[in-house]
Amino acid sequence: MSRETILSSVKKNKPEILPLPEIDETAFREDIDLIAVFKNNVTLVGGNLIETNNKKVDEEIKNLYPNKKHIISITKASKLGTVNVEKNTDPHQLENIDLAIIEGELGVSENGAVWVTAENSFIRVLPFITNDLVIILKKESVCLHMLEAYDIIAERDRNFGVFISGPSKTADIEQCLVIGAHGAMSLTIFLV
């Protein structure tokens, strides 16, 4: 079949456009302890959450990751970086990164996800190429659910952004869980 025949067939057989479902936002309870639910959901998806203050972040990271040598820190909260990167750093040079320390902009209590942008990680691939990932997140930036999260990020510049929830994992092959299949093998969130 020619390309034109295929495209013509697709155009003729478009499904009916359905309206978006109505979401009852009153079904979400706003009287819950956002931090407790967030912490529980981060743990549920395989991550680790530590509540601390800015002054103890480096000490806590050193305790968790004592043997990490190739560290990128793109945050003012941590001075542990041993590898310098800039926005124009070739991502191929980052294949040996042991630990990346970045900032999250927004946490979602509902599912334990954290919104990370290009500004937070400089290089898009950084949160995924590192062996271990630390995200520093301010307590006051945790919201209730994804509806609220999307409202908050709606006015952003339309560049790279991603919700990260737990370490990378898959169970596609023989239903065997593999951690770190296509990203960091561990995720620790420091809530400051």
Side-chain angles (χ1 to χ4, degrees), residues 13 15 20 23 35 120 145 157-158:
N13 293 302
L20 293 174
I23 298 174
I35 301 304
N120 302 119
H145 48 65
D157 289 336
R158 298 295 184 196

Side-chain angles (χ1 to χ4, degrees), residues 23-30 145 147-148 151:
I23 298 174
D24 179 13
E25 291 189 44
T26 62
F28 296 101
R29 291 181 29 223
E30 300 208 12
H145 48 65
L147 295 171
E148 185 179 351
D151 283 344

